[in-house]
Amino acid sequence: MKYLKNVVIFYDNLLVMSSYLISVNNQDLKNVKLLLVIVMNKYSQKDREQIETLIKTLSIQVEIYYPDKNLGYLNGLLAGYRFSNSSSMNESWTVFSNVDIEFGDNQIFQKIAMLETPDDVYCVAPSVYEPRMRRFVNPQYLERYSKKSLEFRIWVFKKNFLANSYIQLGDFISKYLNSKEKQSQYVYSAHGSFFILKKDFLKNLGKDYMSLLYSEEAFIAEEVRLAAGRVYYDNSIKIIHLANESTGKLSAKRRNTYLAESLEKIIKEYY
């Protein structure tokens, strides 16, 4: 029997979360014991009741964590993982993911649970396709960011009239360059919508992320690098990301502010 965890965030997204739970429950989990942890960042009493009712109908094991405030995306995932550590599971891998996700086949969690990688591979990035943009978002970055490139982005994101055009241009270029799936390879960073972390890495990650939202990929990539580990992109694991289910609710101005602040903290911490 293989053991696997999947940690996700509930943020005012009852319908999407419900759909995700049912999709996971419908996965072929033969020889896999899955624990799914839901971190309730923003919810109503009705949301809570409906989610608790739904999970009673599922065959997978689900734990719900109710923090006393919105922890943000990555810190919420980390808190959910740590909250679940009291269980008796002995999983090798944990999936941190969005819930606006569809699966390329019904054996995704089997493939993840059975992953065999070199000891220094601490993060695995699946193939992630965004149908709305008609692009693949992994590998996210092949090489580490330069400090100058990060400083340039911060400068842009602090100017709203430039930031929106910059993001649109980036999306256009990405759609052109990433319309075809890449071959499996070692990379710098994994897209934050769905990434797989080794237990040894998470066990030794004794810190929280510095920001509420954005640049989570850089944090994970840098912590993997500092731990003398590597990130591996594996295109045999195929995920469909419907994109912007949560962050799409932010105004452009708030998004740009969060982006600039998150990158400033990445530079301060790692450069």
Side-chain angles (χ1 to χ4, degrees):
M1 180 67 69
K2 293 286 187 176
Y3 297 86
L4 182 67
K5 287 181 185 174
N6 179 199
V7 188
V8 296
I9 301 293
F10 189 107
Y11 189 88
D12 192 23
N13 57 354
L14 177 63
L15 292 179
V16 179
M17 176 64 75
S18 299
S19 178
Y20 182 77
L21 291 174
I22 293 168
S23 294
V24 174
N25 194 65
N26 289 337
Q27 282 275 301
D28 181 356
L29 297 174
K30 182 180 179 180
N31 298 321
V32 176
K33 185 172 178 58
L34 174 69
L35 170 63
L36 195 148
V37 182
I38 303 173
V39 180
M40 303 291 282
N41 268 356
K42 182 182 179 182
Y43 61 95
S44 66
Q45 183 60 31
K46 182 178 179 181
D47 291 337
R48 176 172 182 162
E49 291 170 357
Q50 292 199 24
I51 285 296
E52 291 179 349
T53 298
L54 174 60
I55 65 175
K56 292 176 183 177
T57 70
L58 304 178
S59 58
I60 58 174
Q61 181 182 353
V62 180
E63 292 181 0
I64 303 181
Y65 174 47
Y66 295 96
D68 57 8
K69 63 179 180 179
N70 177 14
L71 299 175
Y73 180 60
L74 183 54
N75 280 337
L77 294 173
L78 289 170
Y81 172 79
R82 291 162 183 161
F83 162 80
S84 72
N85 270 352
S86 61
S87 74
S88 60
M89 292 184 66
N90 187 29
E91 78 289 346
S92 297
W93 299 96
T94 294
V95 175
F96 283 178
S97 73
N98 288 12
V99 293
D100 51 349
I101 294 290
E102 294 178 354
F103 301 113
D105 61 66
N106 73 341
Q107 295 187 325
I108 292 297
F109 286 94
Q110 278 201 46
K111 292 177 180 178
I112 295 170
M114 305 297 176
L115 276 171
E116 296 288 345
T117 64
D119 290 345
D120 65 347
V121 171
Y122 294 154
C123 177
V124 173
S127 171
V128 179
Y129 182 67
E130 291 185 350
R132 184 179 66 86
M133 295 297 295
R134 293 180 300 199
R135 67 181 178 184
F136 291 89
V137 293
N138 269 332
Q140 194 210 31
Y141 285 100
L142 294 176
E143 305 292 339
R144 187 175 187 242
Y145 317 90
S146 69
K147 184 177 180 181
K148 285 187 177 180
S149 73
L150 293 179
E151 290 173 336
F152 172 74
R153 293 178 203 190
I154 292 168
W155 178 78
V156 170
F157 291 137
K158 286 186 173 181
K159 296 173 170 55
N160 284 309
F161 68 95
L162 284 178
N164 297 334
S165 297
Y166 177 80
I167 290 171
Q168 290 174 359
L169 177 61
D171 284 342
F172 176 80
I173 294 172
S174 175
K175 180 178 175 181
Y176 175 75
L177 294 178
N178 300 311
S179 61
K180 294 183 179 180
E181 188 177 53
K182 304 291 195 304
Q183 295 299 309
S184 298
Q185 58 189 291
Y186 289 100
V187 302
Y188 169 68
S189 62
H191 193 266
S193 59
F194 194 103
F195 56 106
I196 307 156
L197 296 173
K198 188 170 283 182
K199 182 176 184 177
D200 291 343
F201 171 73
L202 284 170
K203 182 179 177 180
N204 294 318
L205 182 63
K207 64 194 296 185
D208 292 330
Y209 183 43
M210 301 83 70
S211 300
L212 186 70
L213 287 172
Y214 294 115
S215 306
E216 297 93 349
E217 296 95 341
F219 173 80
I220 294 296
E222 286 298 304
E223 289 298 321
V224 167
R225 182 182 66 85
L226 292 176
R230 293 187 290 176
V231 178
Y232 184 68
Y233 159 65
D234 185 343
N235 72 0
S236 72
I237 302 170
K238 301 185 188 300
I239 302 299
I240 299 166
H241 180 213
L242 303 179
N244 291 330
E245 190 277 318
S246 293
T247 57
K249 299 174 184 177
L250 291 174
S251 68
K253 184 175 181 180
R254 286 188 68 195
R255 176 200 63 200
N256 298 337
T257 298
Y258 281 138
L259 280 165
E261 289 177 350
S262 67
L263 291 176
E264 286 176 331
K265 291 175 181 177
I266 291 294
I267 289 178
K268 181 178 179 181
E269 187 74 13
Y270 301 111
Y271 289 77

